[in-house]
Amino acid sequence: MKHRVLILGHGKMGHAMECLVSGRHDVRIWCMEEKGEAPLEDLVAWAQVILFCLPVNPHHEIVTRIAPYLAQGSLCLTIAKGLDESGRTAAQVYECVLTGGHHYGVIYGPMISEEIRTGRHAFADVVLSDTADFQVIFDLFLGTKLICEQASDMHGRSWSVILKNVYAIMFGVADELKLGNNMRGHLMVTAISELSGIVQSFGGRAHTPYSYAGLGDLLTTATSEDSHHHALGRQLVRGEWSNISGEGVHTLQMVVKHHLFDWRAFPLFTLAHDIVTAPETLHERVEDYLKQLRERVSCAI
């Protein structure tokens, strides 16, 4: 079935989504930085599917703006993997604003934009406010190389995909320190274990981080040499501290600022926080962390 699709944002992921859907659907694009031919409100009223290919920060403003103009039965989808300045996920923004029967969902997983644009496979969990909307997802990406699976636990998957950027930094740190492949194994096990604990603290399910949105996206981000957060970890070790930024860094700031969970209860998350906020202590903190591991006698999982 052909759909009317509005893509909000035309950065890397906006281009990737355009590549996926433009061949089979009627696609229009709106950018915050550009004045298009039609007002946003008119485009929203026309669209059946609205893809938010934007950072999470402008979500609240835009969702609030477009909510009165959404066509009945239309579906808002986001790929945003961060927290806004209030410490909210994109799913929480949707839940707060899109009341009264409006439909929404998240698409999360290993979806590197460059690989999508060059025709490689990508994989995603799709969690929807109305499970019947998965037929729309099926139609939307039919014949493409984006493989979507219908999933549950929207908030658990949101936190998994957001926090994985924090843990991915530690893989870059370990690689730059030449701690070896065995250390990667430890980091992966520990990151997933901590993600499971954090997700459960928000009422999510223990197994949710073992999904495309958790383990799948973490493995992709943590081991890709093109990953910003992997490169950021390497930068920290090399003493290149002038531009320490990214979704993972912002997530750390928001978690602390808004006391979103008891982050000090999670040693690897705490290590990432400490070396991002005080990179001059990196070598000392890593050694302290390894010392604590030697003294631990029970398995984390």
Side-chain angles (χ1 to χ4, degrees), residues 138-175:
F138 182 84
D139 294 338
L140 191 63
F141 298 114
L142 181 66
T144 74
K145 290 189 175 180
L146 176 58
I147 297 174
C148 295
E149 295 185 356
Q150 188 167 10
S152 58
D153 193 5
M154 186 178 294
H155 295 302
R157 275 175 165 78
S158 295
W159 279 106
S160 294
V161 82
I162 289 166
L163 294 174
K164 70 96 179 39
N165 285 324
V166 173
Y167 290 105
I169 295 171
M170 293 310 306
F171 286 78
V173 169
D175 286 349

PDB file of all heavy atoms in Angstrom, residues 138-175:
ATOM      1  N   PHE A 138       4.957  -2.455   8.092  1.00  0.00           N
ATOM      2  CA  PHE A 138       5.214  -3.498   7.095  1.00  0.00           C
ATOM      3  C   PHE A 138       5.112  -2.918   5.687  1.00  0.00           C
ATOM      4  O   PHE A 138       5.985  -3.147   4.841  1.00  0.00           O
ATOM      5  CB  PHE A 138       4.215  -4.644   7.285  1.00  0.00           C
ATOM      6  CG  PHE A 138       4.432  -5.794   6.343  1.00  0.00           C
ATOM      7  CD1 PHE A 138       5.365  -6.780   6.637  1.00  0.00           C
ATOM      8  CD2 PHE A 138       3.717  -5.894   5.156  1.00  0.00           C
ATOM      9  CE1 PHE A 138       5.577  -7.846   5.767  1.00  0.00           C
ATOM     10  CE2 PHE A 138       3.918  -6.949   4.282  1.00  0.00           C
ATOM     11  CZ  PHE A 138       4.851  -7.929   4.588  1.00  0.00           C
ATOM     12  N   ASP A 139       4.059  -2.165   5.420  1.00  0.00           N
ATOM     13  CA  ASP A 139       3.881  -1.550   4.104  1.00  0.00           C
ATOM     14  C   ASP A 139       4.966  -0.520   3.813  1.00  0.00           C
ATOM     15  O   ASP A 139       5.463  -0.417   2.688  1.00  0.00           O
ATOM     16  CB  ASP A 139       2.517  -0.868   4.006  1.00  0.00           C
ATOM     17  CG  ASP A 139       1.359  -1.843   4.055  1.00  0.00           C
ATOM     18  OD1 ASP A 139       1.572  -3.027   3.743  1.00  0.00           O
ATOM     19  OD2 ASP A 139       0.249  -1.416   4.435  1.00  0.00           O
ATOM     20  N   LEU A 140       5.331   0.235   4.848  1.00  0.00           N
ATOM     21  CA  LEU A 140       6.275   1.335   4.675  1.00  0.00           C
ATOM     22  C   LEU A 140       7.634   0.849   4.192  1.00  0.00           C
ATOM     23  O   LEU A 140       8.238   1.440   3.283  1.00  0.00           O
ATOM     24  CB  LEU A 140       6.422   2.094   5.999  1.00  0.00           C
ATOM     25  CG  LEU A 140       7.160   3.426   5.978  1.00  0.00           C
ATOM     26  CD1 LEU A 140       6.424   4.441   5.117  1.00  0.00           C
ATOM     27  CD2 LEU A 140       7.318   3.959   7.402  1.00  0.00           C
ATOM     28  N   PHE A 141       8.123  -0.229   4.777  1.00  0.00           N
ATOM     29  CA  PHE A 141       9.482  -0.696   4.473  1.00  0.00           C
ATOM     30  C   PHE A 141       9.504  -1.989   3.653  1.00  0.00           C
ATOM     31  O   PHE A 141      10.560  -2.598   3.507  1.00  0.00           O
ATOM     32  CB  PHE A 141      10.256  -0.889   5.778  1.00  0.00           C
ATOM     33  CG  PHE A 141      10.420   0.380   6.566  1.00  0.00           C
ATOM     34  CD1 PHE A 141       9.806   0.541   7.807  1.00  0.00           C
ATOM     35  CD2 PHE A 141      11.170   1.434   6.060  1.00  0.00           C
ATOM     36  CE1 PHE A 141       9.951   1.715   8.528  1.00  0.00           C
ATOM     37  CE2 PHE A 141      11.315   2.617   6.776  1.00  0.00           C
ATOM     38  CZ  PHE A 141      10.706   2.757   8.002  1.00  0.00           C
ATOM     39  N   LEU A 142       8.365  -2.378   3.117  1.00  0.00           N
ATOM     40  CA  LEU A 142       8.296  -3.574   2.285  1.00  0.00           C
ATOM     41  C   LEU A 142       9.226  -3.440   1.083  1.00  0.00           C
ATOM     42  O   LEU A 142       9.211  -2.433   0.381  1.00  0.00           O
ATOM     43  CB  LEU A 142       6.858  -3.802   1.808  1.00  0.00           C
ATOM     44  CG  LEU A 142       6.626  -5.052   0.947  1.00  0.00           C
ATOM     45  CD1 LEU A 142       6.869  -6.310   1.772  1.00  0.00           C
ATOM     46  CD2 LEU A 142       5.201  -5.044   0.387  1.00  0.00           C
ATOM     47  N   GLY A 143      10.045  -4.457   0.869  1.00  0.00           N
ATOM     48  CA  GLY A 143      10.958  -4.436  -0.273  1.00  0.00           C
ATOM     49  C   GLY A 143      12.261  -3.719  -0.014  1.00  0.00           C
ATOM     50  O   GLY A 143      13.129  -3.669  -0.889  1.00  0.00           O
ATOM     51  N   THR A 144      12.439  -3.150   1.184  1.00  0.00           N
ATOM     52  CA  THR A 144      13.687  -2.473   1.533  1.00  0.00           C
ATOM     53  C   THR A 144      14.563  -3.419   2.346  1.00  0.00           C
ATOM     54  O   THR A 144      14.154  -4.528   2.690  1.00  0.00           O
ATOM     55  CB  THR A 144      13.438  -1.198   2.358  1.00  0.00           C
ATOM     56  OG1 THR A 144      13.067  -1.563   3.703  1.00  0.00           O
ATOM     57  CG2 THR A 144      12.319  -0.359   1.745  1.00  0.00           C
ATOM     58  N   LYS A 145      15.752  -2.961   2.694  1.00  0.00           N
ATOM     59  CA  LYS A 145      16.666  -3.768   3.502  1.00  0.00           C
ATOM     60  C   LYS A 145      16.643  -3.384   4.977  1.00  0.00           C
ATOM     61  O   LYS A 145      17.524  -3.775   5.733  1.00  0.00           O
ATOM     62  CB  LYS A 145      18.079  -3.695   2.935  1.00  0.00           C
ATOM     63  CG  LYS A 145      18.206  -4.422   1.595  1.00  0.00           C
ATOM     64  CD  LYS A 145      19.639  -4.546   1.134  1.00  0.00           C
ATOM     65  CE  LYS A 145      19.718  -5.379  -0.147  1.00  0.00           C
ATOM     66  NZ  LYS A 145      21.112  -5.524  -0.624  1.00  0.00           N
ATOM     67  N   LEU A 146      15.614  -2.640   5.371  1.00  0.00           N
ATOM     68  CA  LEU A 146      15.395  -2.399   6.796  1.00  0.00           C
ATOM     69  C   LEU A 146      14.432  -3.468   7.306  1.00  0.00           C
ATOM     70  O   LEU A 146      13.270  -3.512   6.905  1.00  0.00           O
ATOM     71  CB  LEU A 146      14.806  -1.010   7.052  1.00  0.00           C
ATOM     72  CG  LEU A 146      14.439  -0.700   8.507  1.00  0.00           C
ATOM     73  CD1 LEU A 146      15.641  -0.843   9.432  1.00  0.00           C
ATOM     74  CD2 LEU A 146      13.838   0.694   8.638  1.00  0.00           C
ATOM     75  N   ILE A 147      14.929  -4.342   8.149  1.00  0.00           N
ATOM     76  CA  ILE A 147      14.135  -5.448   8.689  1.00  0.00           C
ATOM     77  C   ILE A 147      13.600  -5.028  10.060  1.00  0.00           C
ATOM     78  O   ILE A 147      14.373  -4.801  10.996  1.00  0.00           O
ATOM     79  CB  ILE A 147      14.983  -6.722   8.790  1.00  0.00           C
ATOM     80  CG1 ILE A 147      15.419  -7.156   7.385  1.00  0.00           C
ATOM     81  CG2 ILE A 147      14.215  -7.829   9.497  1.00  0.00           C
ATOM     82  CD1 ILE A 147      16.377  -8.324   7.363  1.00  0.00           C
ATOM     83  N   CYS A 148      12.278  -4.910  10.167  1.00  0.00           N
ATOM     84  CA  CYS A 148      11.647  -4.449  11.400  1.00  0.00           C
ATOM     85  C   CYS A 148      10.905  -5.587  12.084  1.00  0.00           C
ATOM     86  O   CYS A 148      10.254  -6.400  11.415  1.00  0.00           O
ATOM     87  CB  CYS A 148      10.652  -3.328  11.099  1.00  0.00           C
ATOM     88  SG  CYS A 148      11.389  -1.814  10.453  1.00  0.00           S
ATOM     89  N   GLU A 149      10.998  -5.617  13.402  1.00  0.00           N
ATOM     90  CA  GLU A 149      10.264  -6.589  14.190  1.00  0.00           C
ATOM     91  C   GLU A 149       9.387  -5.850  15.199  1.00  0.00           C
ATOM     92  O   GLU A 149       9.843  -4.893  15.831  1.00  0.00           O
ATOM     93  CB  GLU A 149      11.222  -7.528  14.922  1.00  0.00           C
ATOM     94  CG  GLU A 149      12.047  -8.401  13.992  1.00  0.00           C
ATOM     95  CD  GLU A 149      12.912  -9.406  14.728  1.00  0.00           C
ATOM     96  OE1 GLU A 149      12.931  -9.369  15.985  1.00  0.00           O
ATOM     97  OE2 GLU A 149      13.561 -10.240  14.066  1.00  0.00           O
ATOM     98  N   GLN A 150       8.159  -6.299  15.315  1.00  0.00           N
ATOM     99  CA  GLN A 150       7.258  -5.679  16.272  1.00  0.00           C
ATOM    100  C   GLN A 150       7.673  -6.067  17.685  1.00  0.00           C
ATOM    101  O   GLN A 150       7.915  -7.236  17.978  1.00  0.00           O
ATOM    102  CB  GLN A 150       5.812  -6.098  16.012  1.00  0.00           C
ATOM    103  CG  GLN A 150       4.808  -5.328  16.852  1.00  0.00           C
ATOM    104  CD  GLN A 150       3.386  -5.537  16.365  1.00  0.00           C
ATOM    105  OE1 GLN A 150       3.126  -6.391  15.531  1.00  0.00           O
ATOM    106  NE2 GLN A 150       2.453  -4.741  16.882  1.00  0.00           N
ATOM    107  N   ALA A 151       7.783  -5.091  18.554  1.00  0.00           N
ATOM    108  CA  ALA A 151       8.289  -5.318  19.905  1.00  0.00           C
ATOM    109  C   ALA A 151       7.385  -4.630  20.925  1.00  0.00           C
ATOM    110  O   ALA A 151       6.403  -3.967  20.577  1.00  0.00           O
ATOM    111  CB  ALA A 151       9.726  -4.801  20.018  1.00  0.00           C
ATOM    112  N   SER A 152       7.736  -4.779  22.186  1.00  0.00           N
ATOM    113  CA  SER A 152       6.989  -4.170  23.286  1.00  0.00           C
ATOM    114  C   SER A 152       7.963  -3.430  24.196  1.00  0.00           C
ATOM    115  O   SER A 152       9.150  -3.334  23.912  1.00  0.00           O
ATOM    116  CB  SER A 152       6.208  -5.240  24.060  1.00  0.00           C
ATOM    117  OG  SER A 152       7.110  -6.216  24.558  1.00  0.00           O
ATOM    118  N   ASP A 153       7.456  -2.924  25.310  1.00  0.00           N
ATOM    119  CA  ASP A 153       8.269  -2.207  26.306  1.00  0.00           C
ATOM    120  C   ASP A 153       8.922  -0.976  25.678  1.00  0.00           C
ATOM    121  O   ASP A 153      10.146  -0.884  25.570  1.00  0.00           O
ATOM    122  CB  ASP A 153       9.326  -3.142  26.913  1.00  0.00           C
ATOM    123  CG  ASP A 153       9.977  -2.561  28.169  1.00  0.00           C
ATOM    124  OD1 ASP A 153       9.557  -1.493  28.628  1.00  0.00           O
ATOM    125  OD2 ASP A 153      10.934  -3.184  28.676  1.00  0.00           O
ATOM    126  N   MET A 154       8.092  -0.024  25.281  1.00  0.00           N
ATOM    127  CA  MET A 154       8.579   1.177  24.603  1.00  0.00           C
ATOM    128  C   MET A 154       9.583   1.947  25.446  1.00  0.00           C
ATOM    129  O   MET A 154      10.623   2.391  24.956  1.00  0.00           O
ATOM    130  CB  MET A 154       7.410   2.085  24.230  1.00  0.00           C
ATOM    131  CG  MET A 154       7.816   3.296  23.389  1.00  0.00           C
ATOM    132  SD  MET A 154       6.429   4.353  22.907  1.00  0.00           S
ATOM    133  CE  MET A 154       5.508   3.274  21.811  1.00  0.00           C
ATOM    134  N   HIS A 155       9.293   2.109  26.721  1.00  0.00           N
ATOM    135  CA  HIS A 155      10.193   2.896  27.567  1.00  0.00           C
ATOM    136  C   HIS A 155      11.477   2.124  27.867  1.00  0.00           C
ATOM    137  O   HIS A 155      12.566   2.707  27.910  1.00  0.00           O
ATOM    138  CB  HIS A 155       9.483   3.316  28.848  1.00  0.00           C
ATOM    139  CG  HIS A 155       8.338   4.259  28.607  1.00  0.00           C
ATOM    140  ND1 HIS A 155       8.498   5.471  27.972  1.00  0.00           N
ATOM    141  CD2 HIS A 155       7.015   4.150  28.878  1.00  0.00           C
ATOM    142  CE1 HIS A 155       7.330   6.078  27.875  1.00  0.00           C
ATOM    143  NE2 HIS A 155       6.415   5.300  28.418  1.00  0.00           N
ATOM    144  N   GLY A 156      11.374   0.802  28.057  1.00  0.00           N
ATOM    145  CA  GLY A 156      12.576   0.002  28.271  1.00  0.00           C
ATOM    146  C   GLY A 156      13.495   0.035  27.069  1.00  0.00           C
ATOM    147  O   GLY A 156      14.718   0.144  27.207  1.00  0.00           O
ATOM    148  N   ARG A 157      12.926  -0.064  25.883  1.00  0.00           N
ATOM    149  CA  ARG A 157      13.748  -0.004  24.678  1.00  0.00           C
ATOM    150  C   ARG A 157      14.303   1.401  24.465  1.00  0.00           C
ATOM    151  O   ARG A 157      15.420   1.577  23.982  1.00  0.00           O
ATOM    152  CB  ARG A 157      12.940  -0.473  23.469  1.00  0.00           C
ATOM    153  CG  ARG A 157      12.971  -1.994  23.323  1.00  0.00           C
ATOM    154  CD  ARG A 157      12.101  -2.516  22.211  1.00  0.00           C
ATOM    155  NE  ARG A 157      12.431  -3.898  21.898  1.00  0.00           N
ATOM    156  CZ  ARG A 157      12.062  -4.949  22.607  1.00  0.00           C
ATOM    157  NH1 ARG A 157      11.332  -4.773  23.692  1.00  0.00           N
ATOM    158  NH2 ARG A 157      12.402  -6.182  22.238  1.00  0.00           N
ATOM    159  N   SER A 158      13.546   2.420  24.818  1.00  0.00           N
ATOM    160  CA  SER A 158      14.042   3.795  24.702  1.00  0.00           C
ATOM    161  C   SER A 158      15.273   4.005  25.573  1.00  0.00           C
ATOM    162  O   SER A 158      16.289   4.546  25.121  1.00  0.00           O
ATOM    163  CB  SER A 158      12.941   4.784  25.099  1.00  0.00           C
ATOM    164  OG  SER A 158      11.850   4.726  24.204  1.00  0.00           O
ATOM    165  N   TRP A 159      15.203   3.548  26.821  1.00  0.00           N
ATOM    166  CA  TRP A 159      16.345   3.718  27.709  1.00  0.00           C
ATOM    167  C   TRP A 159      17.528   2.865  27.271  1.00  0.00           C
ATOM    168  O   TRP A 159      18.691   3.291  27.377  1.00  0.00           O
ATOM    169  CB  TRP A 159      15.949   3.399  29.152  1.00  0.00           C
ATOM    170  CG  TRP A 159      15.246   4.562  29.783  1.00  0.00           C
ATOM    171  CD1 TRP A 159      13.922   4.689  30.049  1.00  0.00           C
ATOM    172  CD2 TRP A 159      15.848   5.795  30.191  1.00  0.00           C
ATOM    173  NE1 TRP A 159      13.662   5.917  30.592  1.00  0.00           N
ATOM    174  CE2 TRP A 159      14.827   6.619  30.693  1.00  0.00           C
ATOM    175  CE3 TRP A 159      17.150   6.284  30.174  1.00  0.00           C
ATOM    176  CZ2 TRP A 159      15.055   7.898  31.180  1.00  0.00           C
ATOM    177  CZ3 TRP A 159      17.395   7.561  30.662  1.00  0.00           C
ATOM    178  CH2 TRP A 159      16.359   8.352  31.152  1.00  0.00           C
ATOM    179  N   SER A 160      17.263   1.688  26.743  1.00  0.00           N
ATOM    180  CA  SER A 160      18.354   0.827  26.267  1.00  0.00           C
ATOM    181  C   SER A 160      19.125   1.509  25.153  1.00  0.00           C
ATOM    182  O   SER A 160      20.364   1.549  25.149  1.00  0.00           O
ATOM    183  CB  SER A 160      17.787  -0.507  25.764  1.00  0.00           C
ATOM    184  OG  SER A 160      17.213  -1.249  26.806  1.00  0.00           O
ATOM    185  N   VAL A 161      18.406   2.046  24.170  1.00  0.00           N
ATOM    186  CA  VAL A 161      19.065   2.630  23.006  1.00  0.00           C
ATOM    187  C   VAL A 161      19.742   3.954  23.344  1.00  0.00           C
ATOM    188  O   VAL A 161      20.747   4.324  22.728  1.00  0.00           O
ATOM    189  CB  VAL A 161      18.049   2.791  21.849  1.00  0.00           C
ATOM    190  CG1 VAL A 161      17.205   4.055  21.994  1.00  0.00           C
ATOM    191  CG2 VAL A 161      18.738   2.757  20.497  1.00  0.00           C
ATOM    192  N   ILE A 162      19.218   4.647  24.329  1.00  0.00           N
ATOM    193  CA  ILE A 162      19.814   5.928  24.731  1.00  0.00           C
ATOM    194  C   ILE A 162      21.082   5.699  25.546  1.00  0.00           C
ATOM    195  O   ILE A 162      22.141   6.288  25.270  1.00  0.00           O
ATOM    196  CB  ILE A 162      18.793   6.755  25.534  1.00  0.00           C
ATOM    197  CG1 ILE A 162      17.680   7.258  24.605  1.00  0.00           C
ATOM    198  CG2 ILE A 162      19.468   7.935  26.245  1.00  0.00           C
ATOM    199  CD1 ILE A 162      16.470   7.780  25.339  1.00  0.00           C
ATOM    200  N   LEU A 163      21.008   4.832  26.545  1.00  0.00           N
ATOM    201  CA  LEU A 163      22.145   4.625  27.440  1.00  0.00           C
ATOM    202  C   LEU A 163      23.285   3.872  26.777  1.00  0.00           C
ATOM    203  O   LEU A 163      24.431   3.949  27.223  1.00  0.00           O
ATOM    204  CB  LEU A 163      21.693   3.889  28.697  1.00  0.00           C
ATOM    205  CG  LEU A 163      20.737   4.675  29.602  1.00  0.00           C
ATOM    206  CD1 LEU A 163      20.240   3.797  30.745  1.00  0.00           C
ATOM    207  CD2 LEU A 163      21.397   5.931  30.152  1.00  0.00           C
ATOM    208  N   LYS A 164      22.994   3.159  25.696  1.00  0.00           N
ATOM    209  CA  LYS A 164      24.070   2.415  25.025  1.00  0.00           C
ATOM    210  C   LYS A 164      25.156   3.363  24.533  1.00  0.00           C
ATOM    211  O   LYS A 164      26.318   2.972  24.426  1.00  0.00           O
ATOM    212  CB  LYS A 164      23.508   1.567  23.874  1.00  0.00           C
ATOM    213  CG  LYS A 164      23.010   2.329  22.663  1.00  0.00           C
ATOM    214  CD  LYS A 164      24.051   2.423  21.575  1.00  0.00           C
ATOM    215  CE  LYS A 164      23.585   3.156  20.355  1.00  0.00           C
ATOM    216  NZ  LYS A 164      22.755   4.332  20.445  1.00  0.00           N
ATOM    217  N   ASN A 165      24.812   4.627  24.247  1.00  0.00           N
ATOM    218  CA  ASN A 165      25.826   5.586  23.807  1.00  0.00           C
ATOM    219  C   ASN A 165      26.834   5.882  24.913  1.00  0.00           C
ATOM    220  O   ASN A 165      28.008   6.151  24.638  1.00  0.00           O
ATOM    221  CB  ASN A 165      25.162   6.886  23.341  1.00  0.00           C
ATOM    222  CG  ASN A 165      24.504   6.752  21.987  1.00  0.00           C
ATOM    223  OD1 ASN A 165      25.002   6.055  21.110  1.00  0.00           O
ATOM    224  ND2 ASN A 165      23.369   7.416  21.807  1.00  0.00           N
ATOM    225  N   VAL A 166      26.383   5.839  26.156  1.00  0.00           N
ATOM    226  CA  VAL A 166      27.291   6.029  27.291  1.00  0.00           C
ATOM    227  C   VAL A 166      28.282   4.871  27.366  1.00  0.00           C
ATOM    228  O   VAL A 166      29.498   5.063  27.478  1.00  0.00           O
ATOM    229  CB  VAL A 166      26.499   6.153  28.601  1.00  0.00           C
ATOM    230  CG1 VAL A 166      27.449   6.187  29.797  1.00  0.00           C
ATOM    231  CG2 VAL A 166      25.607   7.384  28.584  1.00  0.00           C
ATOM    232  N   TYR A 167      27.757   3.659  27.277  1.00  0.00           N
ATOM    233  CA  TYR A 167      28.617   2.479  27.387  1.00  0.00           C
ATOM    234  C   TYR A 167      29.549   2.352  26.191  1.00  0.00           C
ATOM    235  O   TYR A 167      30.678   1.850  26.326  1.00  0.00           O
ATOM    236  CB  TYR A 167      27.756   1.219  27.540  1.00  0.00           C
ATOM    237  CG  TYR A 167      27.072   1.149  28.882  1.00  0.00           C
ATOM    238  CD1 TYR A 167      25.708   1.424  29.011  1.00  0.00           C
ATOM    239  CD2 TYR A 167      27.781   0.831  30.036  1.00  0.00           C
ATOM    240  CE1 TYR A 167      25.090   1.373  30.245  1.00  0.00           C
ATOM    241  CE2 TYR A 167      27.168   0.778  31.277  1.00  0.00           C
ATOM    242  CZ  TYR A 167      25.816   1.055  31.377  1.00  0.00           C
ATOM    243  OH  TYR A 167      25.201   1.011  32.606  1.00  0.00           O
ATOM    244  N   ALA A 168      29.106   2.792  25.019  1.00  0.00           N
ATOM    245  CA  ALA A 168      29.952   2.703  23.826  1.00  0.00           C
ATOM    246  C   ALA A 168      31.246   3.496  23.991  1.00  0.00           C
ATOM    247  O   ALA A 168      32.286   3.127  23.429  1.00  0.00           O
ATOM    248  CB  ALA A 168      29.189   3.199  22.605  1.00  0.00           C
ATOM    249  N   ILE A 169      31.204   4.562  24.766  1.00  0.00           N
ATOM    250  CA  ILE A 169      32.413   5.356  25.015  1.00  0.00           C
ATOM    251  C   ILE A 169      33.498   4.486  25.638  1.00  0.00           C
ATOM    252  O   ILE A 169      34.686   4.604  25.297  1.00  0.00           O
ATOM    253  CB  ILE A 169      32.081   6.550  25.938  1.00  0.00           C
ATOM    254  CG1 ILE A 169      31.125   7.523  25.237  1.00  0.00           C
ATOM    255  CG2 ILE A 169      33.366   7.273  26.367  1.00  0.00           C
ATOM    256  CD1 ILE A 169      30.581   8.605  26.159  1.00  0.00           C
ATOM    257  N   MET A 170      33.094   3.581  26.520  1.00  0.00           N
ATOM    258  CA  MET A 170      34.072   2.763  27.234  1.00  0.00           C
ATOM    259  C   MET A 170      34.788   1.779  26.314  1.00  0.00           C
ATOM    260  O   MET A 170      35.925   1.386  26.573  1.00  0.00           O
ATOM    261  CB  MET A 170      33.396   2.014  28.385  1.00  0.00           C
ATOM    262  CG  MET A 170      32.885   2.922  29.500  1.00  0.00           C
ATOM    263  SD  MET A 170      34.144   4.092  30.083  1.00  0.00           S
ATOM    264  CE  MET A 170      35.495   2.988  30.482  1.00  0.00           C
ATOM    265  N   PHE A 171      34.159   1.366  25.222  1.00  0.00           N
ATOM    266  CA  PHE A 171      34.814   0.487  24.263  1.00  0.00           C
ATOM    267  C   PHE A 171      35.935   1.239  23.546  1.00  0.00           C
ATOM    268  O   PHE A 171      37.006   0.675  23.292  1.00  0.00           O
ATOM    269  CB  PHE A 171      33.800  -0.050  23.257  1.00  0.00           C
ATOM    270  CG  PHE A 171      32.901  -1.110  23.822  1.00  0.00           C
ATOM    271  CD1 PHE A 171      31.827  -0.769  24.638  1.00  0.00           C
ATOM    272  CD2 PHE A 171      33.130  -2.455  23.550  1.00  0.00           C
ATOM    273  CE1 PHE A 171      30.997  -1.751  25.173  1.00  0.00           C
ATOM    274  CE2 PHE A 171      32.305  -3.441  24.070  1.00  0.00           C
ATOM    275  CZ  PHE A 171      31.242  -3.085  24.886  1.00  0.00           C
ATOM    276  N   GLY A 172      35.706   2.503  23.230  1.00  0.00           N
ATOM    277  CA  GLY A 172      36.766   3.314  22.637  1.00  0.00           C
ATOM    278  C   GLY A 172      37.916   3.529  23.596  1.00  0.00           C
ATOM    279  O   GLY A 172      39.089   3.488  23.209  1.00  0.00           O
ATOM    280  N   VAL A 173      37.589   3.748  24.871  1.00  0.00           N
ATOM    281  CA  VAL A 173      38.622   3.895  25.900  1.00  0.00           C
ATOM    282  C   VAL A 173      39.466   2.628  25.972  1.00  0.00           C
ATOM    283  O   VAL A 173      40.710   2.676  25.957  1.00  0.00           O
ATOM    284  CB  VAL A 173      37.975   4.194  27.272  1.00  0.00           C
ATOM    285  CG1 VAL A 173      39.017   4.087  28.388  1.00  0.00           C
ATOM    286  CG2 VAL A 173      37.343   5.585  27.283  1.00  0.00           C
ATOM    287  N   ALA A 174      38.807   1.480  26.045  1.00  0.00           N
ATOM    288  CA  ALA A 174      39.529   0.209  26.169  1.00  0.00           C
ATOM    289  C   ALA A 174      40.394  -0.069  24.948  1.00  0.00           C
ATOM    290  O   ALA A 174      41.531  -0.551  25.073  1.00  0.00           O
ATOM    291  CB  ALA A 174      38.531  -0.931  26.371  1.00  0.00           C
ATOM    292  N   ASP A 175      39.891   0.243  23.753  1.00  0.00           N
ATOM    293  CA  ASP A 175      40.672   0.006  22.533  1.00  0.00           C
ATOM    294  C   ASP A 175      41.887   0.912  22.468  1.00  0.00           C
ATOM    295  O   ASP A 175      42.983   0.474  22.094  1.00  0.00           O
ATOM    296  CB  ASP A 175      39.790   0.213  21.297  1.00  0.00           C
ATOM    297  CG  ASP A 175      38.807  -0.929  21.098  1.00  0.00           C
ATOM    298  OD1 ASP A 175      38.944  -1.957  21.773  1.00  0.00           O
ATOM    299  OD2 ASP A 175      37.888  -0.784  20.265  1.00  0.00           O
TER     300      ASP A 175
END
